[in-house]
PDB file of all heavy atoms in Angstrom:
ATOM      1  N   GLY A  74     -96.160-194.667 -26.497  1.00  0.00           N
ATOM      2  CA  GLY A  74     -95.322-194.427 -27.776  1.00  0.00           C
ATOM      3  C   GLY A  74     -95.199-195.768 -28.411  1.00  0.00           C
ATOM      4  O   GLY A  74     -96.014-196.688 -28.293  1.00  0.00           O
ATOM      5  N   TRP A  75     -94.149-195.985 -29.282  1.00  0.00           N
ATOM      6  CA  TRP A  75     -93.906-197.186 -29.948  1.00  0.00           C
ATOM      7  C   TRP A  75     -93.356-198.242 -29.101  1.00  0.00           C
ATOM      8  O   TRP A  75     -92.471-197.908 -28.277  1.00  0.00           O
ATOM      9  CB  TRP A  75     -92.976-196.969 -31.138  1.00  0.00           C
ATOM     10  CG  TRP A  75     -93.624-196.057 -32.165  1.00  0.00           C
ATOM     11  CD1 TRP A  75     -93.422-194.878 -32.456  1.00  0.00           C
ATOM     12  CD2 TRP A  75     -94.479-196.641 -33.134  1.00  0.00           C
ATOM     13  NE1 TRP A  75     -94.175-194.441 -33.517  1.00  0.00           N
ATOM     14  CE2 TRP A  75     -94.815-195.549 -34.015  1.00  0.00           C
ATOM     15  CE3 TRP A  75     -95.117-197.772 -33.459  1.00  0.00           C
ATOM     16  CZ2 TRP A  75     -95.752-195.626 -35.115  1.00  0.00           C
ATOM     17  CZ3 TRP A  75     -95.984-198.001 -34.551  1.00  0.00           C
ATOM     18  CH2 TRP A  75     -96.339-196.780 -35.288  1.00  0.00           C
ATOM     19  N   TYR A  76     -93.910-199.391 -29.140  1.00  0.00           N
ATOM     20  CA  TYR A  76     -93.408-200.536 -28.444  1.00  0.00           C
ATOM     21  C   TYR A  76     -93.422-201.745 -29.209  1.00  0.00           C
ATOM     22  O   TYR A  76     -94.266-201.973 -30.107  1.00  0.00           O
ATOM     23  CB  TYR A  76     -94.223-200.775 -27.081  1.00  0.00           C
ATOM     24  CG  TYR A  76     -95.658-201.039 -27.295  1.00  0.00           C
ATOM     25  CD1 TYR A  76     -96.153-202.397 -27.287  1.00  0.00           C
ATOM     26  CD2 TYR A  76     -96.695-200.051 -27.528  1.00  0.00           C
ATOM     27  CE1 TYR A  76     -97.545-202.697 -27.400  1.00  0.00           C
ATOM     28  CE2 TYR A  76     -97.916-200.353 -27.792  1.00  0.00           C
ATOM     29  CZ  TYR A  76     -98.328-201.701 -27.765  1.00  0.00           C
ATOM     30  OH  TYR A  76     -99.763-201.951 -27.826  1.00  0.00           O
ATOM     31  N   THR A  77     -92.548-202.761 -28.913  1.00  0.00           N
ATOM     32  CA  THR A  77     -92.430-204.036 -29.772  1.00  0.00           C
ATOM     33  C   THR A  77     -93.448-205.002 -29.185  1.00  0.00           C
ATOM     34  O   THR A  77     -93.434-205.338 -28.006  1.00  0.00           O
ATOM     35  CB  THR A  77     -90.981-204.542 -29.615  1.00  0.00           C
ATOM     36  OG1 THR A  77     -90.107-203.564 -30.124  1.00  0.00           O
ATOM     37  CG2 THR A  77     -90.804-205.885 -30.380  1.00  0.00           C
ATOM     38  N   GLN A  78     -94.277-205.484 -30.158  1.00  0.00           N
ATOM     39  CA  GLN A  78     -95.299-206.658 -29.952  1.00  0.00           C
ATOM     40  C   GLN A  78     -94.579-207.962 -29.966  1.00  0.00           C
ATOM     41  O   GLN A  78     -94.729-208.803 -29.115  1.00  0.00           O
ATOM     42  CB  GLN A  78     -96.338-206.590 -30.852  1.00  0.00           C
ATOM     43  CG  GLN A  78     -97.288-205.441 -30.710  1.00  0.00           C
ATOM     44  CD  GLN A  78     -98.339-205.722 -29.674  1.00  0.00           C
ATOM     45  OE1 GLN A  78     -98.400-206.689 -28.911  1.00  0.00           O
ATOM     46  NE2 GLN A  78     -99.301-204.791 -29.674  1.00  0.00           N
ATOM     47  N   SER A  79     -93.713-208.127 -31.003  1.00  0.00           N
ATOM     48  CA  SER A  79     -92.986-209.373 -31.099  1.00  0.00           C
ATOM     49  C   SER A  79     -91.796-209.053 -32.007  1.00  0.00           C
ATOM     50  O   SER A  79     -91.639-207.986 -32.655  1.00  0.00           O
ATOM     51  CB  SER A  79     -93.888-210.421 -31.841  1.00  0.00           C
ATOM     52  OG  SER A  79     -94.241-210.023 -33.112  1.00  0.00           O
ATOM     53  N   SER A  80     -90.840-210.110 -32.036  1.00  0.00           N
ATOM     54  CA  SER A  80     -89.694-209.901 -32.838  1.00  0.00           C
ATOM     55  C   SER A  80     -89.147-211.208 -33.217  1.00  0.00           C
ATOM     56  O   SER A  80     -89.460-212.339 -32.593  1.00  0.00           O
ATOM     57  CB  SER A  80     -88.548-209.236 -31.999  1.00  0.00           C
ATOM     58  OG  SER A  80     -88.097-209.916 -30.988  1.00  0.00           O
ATOM     59  N   VAL A  81     -88.456-211.298 -34.450  1.00  0.00           N
ATOM     60  CA  VAL A  81     -87.893-212.499 -34.993  1.00  0.00           C
ATOM     61  C   VAL A  81     -86.397-212.108 -35.214  1.00  0.00           C
ATOM     62  O   VAL A  81     -86.115-211.240 -35.954  1.00  0.00           O
ATOM     63  CB  VAL A  81     -88.635-212.780 -36.283  1.00  0.00           C
ATOM     64  CG1 VAL A  81     -88.021-214.003 -36.835  1.00  0.00           C
ATOM     65  CG2 VAL A  81     -90.151-213.150 -35.958  1.00  0.00           C
ATOM     66  N   LYS A  82     -85.567-212.963 -34.763  1.00  0.00           N
ATOM     67  CA  LYS A  82     -84.150-212.920 -34.970  1.00  0.00           C
ATOM     68  C   LYS A  82     -83.851-213.622 -36.404  1.00  0.00           C
ATOM     69  O   LYS A  82     -84.434-214.644 -36.630  1.00  0.00           O
ATOM     70  CB  LYS A  82     -83.315-213.625 -33.872  1.00  0.00           C
ATOM     71  CG  LYS A  82     -81.835-213.514 -34.173  1.00  0.00           C
ATOM     72  CD  LYS A  82     -81.017-214.321 -33.062  1.00  0.00           C
ATOM     73  CE  LYS A  82     -79.627-214.407 -33.346  1.00  0.00           C
ATOM     74  NZ  LYS A  82     -78.848-215.169 -32.285  1.00  0.00           N
ATOM     75  N   ILE A  83     -83.195-212.982 -37.240  1.00  0.00           N
ATOM     76  CA  ILE A  83     -82.873-213.491 -38.566  1.00  0.00           C
ATOM     77  C   ILE A  83     -81.396-213.891 -38.464  1.00  0.00           C
ATOM     78  O   ILE A  83     -80.460-213.149 -38.338  1.00  0.00           O
ATOM     79  CB  ILE A  83     -83.089-212.363 -39.639  1.00  0.00           C
ATOM     80  CG1 ILE A  83     -84.585-211.827 -39.490  1.00  0.00           C
ATOM     81  CG2 ILE A  83     -82.845-212.992 -40.996  1.00  0.00           C
ATOM     82  CD1 ILE A  83     -84.796-210.677 -40.501  1.00  0.00           C
ATOM     83  N   GLU A  84     -81.158-215.174 -38.733  1.00  0.00           N
ATOM     84  CA  GLU A  84     -79.784-215.747 -38.680  1.00  0.00           C
ATOM     85  C   GLU A  84     -79.092-215.392 -39.969  1.00  0.00           C
ATOM     86  O   GLU A  84     -79.716-215.107 -40.959  1.00  0.00           O
ATOM     87  CB  GLU A  84     -79.901-217.219 -38.551  1.00  0.00           C
ATOM     88  CG  GLU A  84     -80.573-217.745 -37.249  1.00  0.00           C
ATOM     89  CD  GLU A  84     -79.804-217.435 -36.028  1.00  0.00           C
ATOM     90  OE1 GLU A  84     -78.517-217.210 -36.187  1.00  0.00           O
ATOM     91  OE2 GLU A  84     -80.433-217.351 -34.998  1.00  0.00           O
ATOM     92  N   PRO A  85     -77.787-215.291 -39.987  1.00  0.00           N
ATOM     93  CA  PRO A  85     -76.963-214.960 -41.157  1.00  0.00           C
ATOM     94  C   PRO A  85     -77.348-215.742 -42.376  1.00  0.00           C
ATOM     95  O   PRO A  85     -77.491-215.161 -43.462  1.00  0.00           O
ATOM     96  CB  PRO A  85     -75.608-215.216 -40.702  1.00  0.00           C
ATOM     97  CG  PRO A  85     -75.588-214.947 -39.206  1.00  0.00           C
ATOM     98  CD  PRO A  85     -76.930-215.589 -38.751  1.00  0.00           C
ATOM     99  N   GLN A  86     -77.550-217.021 -42.281  1.00  0.00           N
ATOM    100  CA  GLN A  86     -77.784-217.904 -43.447  1.00  0.00           C
ATOM    101  C   GLN A  86     -79.273-217.499 -43.962  1.00  0.00           C
ATOM    102  O   GLN A  86     -79.563-217.558 -45.164  1.00  0.00           O
ATOM    103  CB  GLN A  86     -77.739-219.444 -43.253  1.00  0.00           C
ATOM    104  CG  GLN A  86     -78.690-219.999 -42.250  1.00  0.00           C
ATOM    105  CD  GLN A  86     -78.348-219.867 -40.759  1.00  0.00           C
ATOM    106  OE1 GLN A  86     -77.359-219.124 -40.385  1.00  0.00           O
ATOM    107  NE2 GLN A  86     -78.966-220.477 -39.934  1.00  0.00           N
ATOM    108  N   GLN A  87     -80.081-217.023 -42.968  1.00  0.00           N
ATOM    109  CA  GLN A  87     -81.478-216.635 -43.500  1.00  0.00           C
ATOM    110  C   GLN A  87     -81.461-215.423 -44.296  1.00  0.00           C
ATOM    111  O   GLN A  87     -82.315-215.197 -45.107  1.00  0.00           O
ATOM    112  CB  GLN A  87     -82.423-216.565 -42.281  1.00  0.00           C
ATOM    113  CG  GLN A  87     -82.683-217.945 -41.648  1.00  0.00           C
ATOM    114  CD  GLN A  87     -83.500-217.793 -40.388  1.00  0.00           C
ATOM    115  OE1 GLN A  87     -83.236-216.958 -39.468  1.00  0.00           O
ATOM    116  NE2 GLN A  87     -84.559-218.588 -40.283  1.00  0.00           N
ATOM    117  N   VAL A  88     -80.436-214.499 -43.944  1.00  0.00           N
ATOM    118  CA  VAL A  88     -80.396-213.204 -44.601  1.00  0.00           C
ATOM    119  C   VAL A  88     -80.029-213.598 -46.094  1.00  0.00           C
ATOM    120  O   VAL A  88     -80.595-213.001 -47.013  1.00  0.00           O
ATOM    121  CB  VAL A  88     -79.291-212.286 -44.071  1.00  0.00           C
ATOM    122  CG1 VAL A  88     -79.022-211.109 -44.919  1.00  0.00           C
ATOM    123  CG2 VAL A  88     -79.710-211.906 -42.660  1.00  0.00           C
ATOM    124  N   ALA A  89     -79.097-214.550 -46.323  1.00  0.00           N
ATOM    125  CA  ALA A  89     -78.775-214.832 -47.702  1.00  0.00           C
ATOM    126  C   ALA A  89     -79.960-215.480 -48.432  1.00  0.00           C
ATOM    127  O   ALA A  89     -80.207-215.096 -49.529  1.00  0.00           O
ATOM    128  CB  ALA A  89     -77.549-215.800 -47.639  1.00  0.00           C
ATOM    129  N   GLU A  90     -80.687-216.326 -47.729  1.00  0.00           N
ATOM    130  CA  GLU A  90     -81.858-216.948 -48.359  1.00  0.00           C
ATOM    131  C   GLU A  90     -82.890-215.884 -48.699  1.00  0.00           C
ATOM    132  O   GLU A  90     -83.584-215.982 -49.615  1.00  0.00           O
ATOM    133  CB  GLU A  90     -82.398-217.995 -47.486  1.00  0.00           C
ATOM    134  CG  GLU A  90     -81.544-219.258 -47.340  1.00  0.00           C
ATOM    135  CD  GLU A  90     -81.874-220.283 -46.308  1.00  0.00           C
ATOM    136  OE1 GLU A  90     -83.039-220.238 -45.867  1.00  0.00           O
ATOM    137  OE2 GLU A  90     -81.070-221.097 -45.963  1.00  0.00           O
ATOM    138  N   LEU A  91     -83.083-214.948 -47.760  1.00  0.00           N
ATOM    139  CA  LEU A  91     -84.104-213.836 -47.924  1.00  0.00           C
ATOM    140  C   LEU A  91     -83.650-213.055 -49.222  1.00  0.00           C
ATOM    141  O   LEU A  91     -84.494-212.777 -50.101  1.00  0.00           O
ATOM    142  CB  LEU A  91     -84.151-212.991 -46.711  1.00  0.00           C
ATOM    143  CG  LEU A  91     -85.192-211.909 -46.811  1.00  0.00           C
ATOM    144  CD1 LEU A  91     -86.493-212.245 -47.003  1.00  0.00           C
ATOM    145  CD2 LEU A  91     -85.121-211.004 -45.555  1.00  0.00           C
ATOM    146  N   ARG A  92     -82.442-212.690 -49.245  1.00  0.00           N
ATOM    147  CA  ARG A  92     -81.946-212.011 -50.424  1.00  0.00           C
ATOM    148  C   ARG A  92     -82.195-212.718 -51.712  1.00  0.00           C
ATOM    149  O   ARG A  92     -82.581-212.175 -52.725  1.00  0.00           O
ATOM    150  CB  ARG A  92     -80.412-211.623 -50.360  1.00  0.00           C
ATOM    151  CG  ARG A  92     -80.146-210.682 -49.201  1.00  0.00           C
ATOM    152  CD  ARG A  92     -78.628-210.462 -48.949  1.00  0.00           C
ATOM    153  NE  ARG A  92     -78.043-209.864 -50.070  1.00  0.00           N
ATOM    154  CZ  ARG A  92     -76.836-210.400 -50.712  1.00  0.00           C
ATOM    155  NH1 ARG A  92     -76.318-211.484 -50.121  1.00  0.00           N
ATOM    156  NH2 ARG A  92     -76.307-209.907 -51.668  1.00  0.00           N
ATOM    157  N   ASN A  93     -81.883-213.967 -51.787  1.00  0.00           N
ATOM    158  CA  ASN A  93     -82.140-214.811 -52.879  1.00  0.00           C
ATOM    159  C   ASN A  93     -83.634-214.833 -53.259  1.00  0.00           C
ATOM    160  O   ASN A  93     -84.031-214.814 -54.420  1.00  0.00           O
ATOM    161  CB  ASN A  93     -81.552-216.198 -52.785  1.00  0.00           C
ATOM    162  CG  ASN A  93     -80.096-216.170 -52.781  1.00  0.00           C
ATOM    163  OD1 ASN A  93     -79.416-215.361 -53.353  1.00  0.00           O
ATOM    164  ND2 ASN A  93     -79.461-217.325 -52.076  1.00  0.00           N
ATOM    165  N   SER A  94     -84.531-214.938 -52.274  1.00  0.00           N
ATOM    166  CA  SER A  94     -85.928-214.955 -52.375  1.00  0.00           C
ATOM    167  C   SER A  94     -86.381-213.725 -53.123  1.00  0.00           C
ATOM    168  O   SER A  94     -87.399-213.623 -53.964  1.00  0.00           O
ATOM    169  CB  SER A  94     -86.690-215.255 -51.119  1.00  0.00           C
ATOM    170  OG  SER A  94     -86.346-216.463 -50.579  1.00  0.00           O
ATOM    171  N   LEU A  95     -85.796-212.603 -52.686  1.00  0.00           N
ATOM    172  CA  LEU A  95     -86.222-211.263 -53.213  1.00  0.00           C
ATOM    173  C   LEU A  95     -85.574-211.034 -54.649  1.00  0.00           C
ATOM    174  O   LEU A  95     -85.699-209.943 -55.132  1.00  0.00           O
ATOM    175  CB  LEU A  95     -85.721-210.162 -52.276  1.00  0.00           C
ATOM    176  CG  LEU A  95     -86.504-210.242 -51.011  1.00  0.00           C
ATOM    177  CD1 LEU A  95     -85.855-209.191 -50.026  1.00  0.00           C
ATOM    178  CD2 LEU A  95     -88.000-209.899 -51.181  1.00  0.00           C
ATOM    179  N   GLY A  96     -84.776-211.993 -55.041  1.00  0.00           N
ATOM    180  CA  GLY A  96     -84.122-211.791 -56.397  1.00  0.00           C
ATOM    181  C   GLY A  96     -82.825-210.855 -56.214  1.00  0.00           C
ATOM    182  O   GLY A  96     -82.352-210.301 -57.279  1.00  0.00           O
ATOM    183  N   ILE A  97     -82.300-210.763 -55.154  1.00  0.00           N
ATOM    184  CA  ILE A  97     -81.126-209.926 -54.914  1.00  0.00           C
ATOM    185  C   ILE A  97     -80.078-210.794 -54.276  1.00  0.00           C
ATOM    186  O   ILE A  97     -79.870-210.919 -53.083  1.00  0.00           O
ATOM    187  CB  ILE A  97     -81.356-208.795 -53.906  1.00  0.00           C
ATOM    188  CG1 ILE A  97     -82.548-208.047 -54.213  1.00  0.00           C
ATOM    189  CG2 ILE A  97     -80.127-207.881 -53.843  1.00  0.00           C
ATOM    190  CD1 ILE A  97     -83.109-207.081 -53.116  1.00  0.00           C
ATOM    191  N   GLY A  98     -79.304-211.618 -55.068  1.00  0.00           N
ATOM    192  CA  GLY A  98     -78.420-212.641 -54.556  1.00  0.00           C
ATOM    193  C   GLY A  98     -77.157-212.732 -55.231  1.00  0.00           C
ATOM    194  O   GLY A  98     -76.807-211.830 -55.979  1.00  0.00           O
ATOM    195  N   GLY A  99     -76.538-213.918 -54.971  1.00  0.00           N
ATOM    196  CA  GLY A  99     -75.375-214.151 -55.690  1.00  0.00           C
ATOM    197  C   GLY A  99     -74.204-213.874 -54.528  1.00  0.00           C
ATOM    198  O   GLY A  99     -74.311-213.078 -53.622  1.00  0.00           O
ATOM    199  N   PRO A 100     -73.190-214.682 -54.717  1.00  0.00           N
ATOM    200  CA  PRO A 100     -72.025-214.652 -53.754  1.00  0.00           C
ATOM    201  C   PRO A 100     -71.301-213.113 -53.697  1.00  0.00           C
ATOM    202  O   PRO A 100     -70.847-212.816 -52.724  1.00  0.00           O
ATOM    203  CB  PRO A 100     -71.061-215.624 -54.083  1.00  0.00           C
ATOM    204  CG  PRO A 100     -71.366-215.882 -55.557  1.00  0.00           C
ATOM    205  CD  PRO A 100     -72.864-215.488 -55.721  1.00  0.00           C
ATOM    206  N   SER A 101     -71.399-212.441 -54.837  1.00  0.00           N
ATOM    207  CA  SER A 101     -70.744-211.097 -54.792  1.00  0.00           C
ATOM    208  C   SER A 101     -71.720-209.907 -54.069  1.00  0.00           C
ATOM    209  O   SER A 101     -71.215-208.880 -53.956  1.00  0.00           O
ATOM    210  CB  SER A 101     -70.451-210.674 -56.172  1.00  0.00           C
ATOM    211  OG  SER A 101     -71.653-210.443 -56.905  1.00  0.00           O
ATOM    212  N   GLY A 102     -73.006-210.247 -53.912  1.00  0.00           N
ATOM    213  CA  GLY A 102     -73.854-209.296 -53.271  1.00  0.00           C
ATOM    214  C   GLY A 102     -73.392-208.894 -51.929  1.00  0.00           C
ATOM    215  O   GLY A 102     -73.116-209.729 -51.068  1.00  0.00           O
ATOM    216  N   LYS A 103     -73.535-207.630 -51.519  1.00  0.00           N
ATOM    217  CA  LYS A 103     -73.100-207.180 -50.189  1.00  0.00           C
ATOM    218  C   LYS A 103     -74.319-206.326 -49.650  1.00  0.00           C
ATOM    219  O   LYS A 103     -74.856-205.590 -50.523  1.00  0.00           O
ATOM    220  CB  LYS A 103     -71.819-206.474 -50.244  1.00  0.00           C
ATOM    221  CG  LYS A 103     -70.620-207.354 -50.621  1.00  0.00           C
ATOM    222  CD  LYS A 103     -69.419-206.715 -50.589  1.00  0.00           C
ATOM    223  CE  LYS A 103     -68.353-207.716 -50.916  1.00  0.00           C
ATOM    224  NZ  LYS A 103     -67.092-207.236 -51.008  1.00  0.00           N
ATOM    225  N   ILE A 104     -74.381-206.241 -48.390  1.00  0.00           N
ATOM    226  CA  ILE A 104     -75.339-205.343 -47.705  1.00  0.00           C
ATOM    227  C   ILE A 104     -74.554-204.152 -47.260  1.00  0.00           C
ATOM    228  O   ILE A 104     -73.512-204.261 -46.532  1.00  0.00           O
ATOM    229  CB  ILE A 104     -76.144-206.029 -46.587  1.00  0.00           C
ATOM    230  CG1 ILE A 104     -77.043-207.194 -47.076  1.00  0.00           C
ATOM    231  CG2 ILE A 104     -76.948-204.937 -45.778  1.00  0.00           C
ATOM    232  CD1 ILE A 104     -77.747-207.939 -46.069  1.00  0.00           C
ATOM    233  N   ARG A 105     -74.913-203.006 -47.608  1.00  0.00           N
ATOM    234  CA  ARG A 105     -74.287-201.819 -47.150  1.00  0.00           C
ATOM    235  C   ARG A 105     -75.237-201.022 -46.309  1.00  0.00           C
ATOM    236  O   ARG A 105     -76.393-200.761 -46.577  1.00  0.00           O
ATOM    237  CB  ARG A 105     -73.871-200.878 -48.346  1.00  0.00           C
ATOM    238  CG  ARG A 105     -72.791-201.474 -49.167  1.00  0.00           C
ATOM    239  CD  ARG A 105     -72.207-200.536 -50.204  1.00  0.00           C
ATOM    240  NE  ARG A 105     -71.330-201.242 -51.012  1.00  0.00           N
ATOM    241  CZ  ARG A 105     -70.910-200.827 -52.167  1.00  0.00           C
ATOM    242  NH1 ARG A 105     -71.418-199.654 -52.712  1.00  0.00           N
ATOM    243  NH2 ARG A 105     -70.065-201.524 -52.947  1.00  0.00           N
TER     244      ARG A 105
END
Side-chain angles (χ1 to χ4, degrees):
W75 287 103
Y76 63 97
T77 300
Q78 289 275 7
S79 62
S80 65
V81 175
K82 180 178 173 182
I83 305 171
E84 299 294 337
Q86 68 274 12
Q87 291 174 312
V88 173
E90 292 172 14
L91 179 59
R92 291 174 61 228
N93 289 334
S94 296
L95 294 171
I97 314 167
S101 64
K103 297 185 180 175
I104 297 176
R105 293 187 183 163

